[in-house]
Amino acid sequence: MVTVLTAGHVNWDVTLRVDRLPQPDGEASIRSQHQSGGGSAANVAVALAGLGVRSELVGSVGDDDNGRLAKCELEDAGVCLDGLAVVEDAPTAVKYLLVDDAGEVSILGNDGANEAVRPADVDPDRVRRADHVHLTSQRPETASYIATVASEAGVPVSFDPGRRLGDRDYTETLVRADVVFATDHEAEAILESEYAARADDQLVAVTAGSDGAVLHAPDGRVSHPGFDVDPVDTSGAGDAFAAGFIATSLGLGLGPDCDTENDADDSARRRTLEFANACGALAASREGPRSVSTTADIRAFLERRN
């Protein structure tokens, strides 16, 4: 079975559905409250497991109730936690997600035990054994170390630096990455930064919510318009998109009638974006940052839409 190693944040999320996102000095009414596991690395790991990938996770949680709940959810989803550290002197990171009626999200949180993993804590053999490595927000030096080990072993690397891109120096990791995921806002910094001495074959996948996604490559760019769905919660849509993209890059998800061996082929790239956008759309149409779709779910969604 194909193995993907994800590395980065593992959170416990408290989702508050509100009638509106409050303005400064304003107030909003809470319609409902829901708790579940979160964190971009953990979300991608769970989504990949749902798509039939052997999913391994490198990250950290605290030795507390939230950490135990997060671990149980991940284990139930089929994620291998041999690389997950349990930290005694820091609590599990908790994020509070405010979700309005349009599915838009604002986030409050603390780092907690999220940044406990340092380069010396990472087993390099675990990285080398993977078929693909996906990195999310974490200590820059840890992300850089994992990316270096993977790339030197010939393991493809993808990277989603997340909202804190402007606050941290991820240059070394960006240079090592074969695929970079970013929102349309984050992409401005990535595509125009001086790190652009990147590998000639690097891809940058730029997501724009309901407006779909654009894939930038050295030999051109392709796009997919996305899918019109009634958004319920967009907090995990980007992670679901990344999982779908990674799965198809490994030859999974598209079905036996699709050939993606020539990754310079625009039609193959468009099919990859289509599948990834379908994963993101289904996630956005469900409550919580971690709704799991199977390959059959995605194919059924695409058959209905096409």
Side-chain angles (χ1 to χ4, degrees), residues 23 62 124 168 176 210 218 240 245 275 282 295:
Q23 299 295 319
R168 317 187 100 173
R176 295 277 187 179
S210 61
F245 191 102
F275 189 89
L282 275 179
T295 302

Side-chain angles (χ1 to χ4, degrees), residues 204-242:
V204 179
V206 181
T207 58
S210 61
D211 292 328
V214 178
L215 185 63
H216 297 264
D219 58 351
R221 56 181 243 172
V222 296
S223 63
H224 183 273
F227 298 97
D228 185 18
V229 297
D230 292 327
V232 174
D233 185 348
T234 61
S235 57
D239 298 327
F241 175 95

Side-chain angles (χ1 to χ4, degrees), residues 1-2 15 18 52 57-58 67 83 99-100 128 142 147 150 153 161-162 171 205 209 223 227 242 255 286 293 303:
M1 180 180 288
V2 172
T15 301
V18 296
L57 180 62
V58 171
V99 183
D100 69 9
R128 297 185 186 108
T142 304
T171 303
S223 63
F227 298 97
R286 299 169 178 170
S293 297
E303 287 177 6

Side-chain angles (χ1 to χ4, degrees), residues 251-260 299:
L252 306 173
L254 291 176
D257 56 333
C258 294
D259 177 12
T260 59
R299 289 180 182 166

Side-chain angles (χ1 to χ4, degrees), residues 87 142 160 176 197 202 230 301:
V87 182
T142 304
D160 182 354
R176 295 277 187 179
Q202 187 183 75
D230 292 327
F301 175 85

Side-chain angles (χ1 to χ4, degrees), residues 161-177:
R163 296 176 177 86
R164 296 175 67 176
L165 174 63
D167 301 329
R168 317 187 100 173
D169 184 4
Y170 282 124
T171 303
E172 292 185 24
T173 305
L174 287 166
V175 170
R176 295 277 187 179

Side-chain angles (χ1 to χ4, degrees), residues 71 90 111 284:
K71 287 181 62 180
D111 285 336

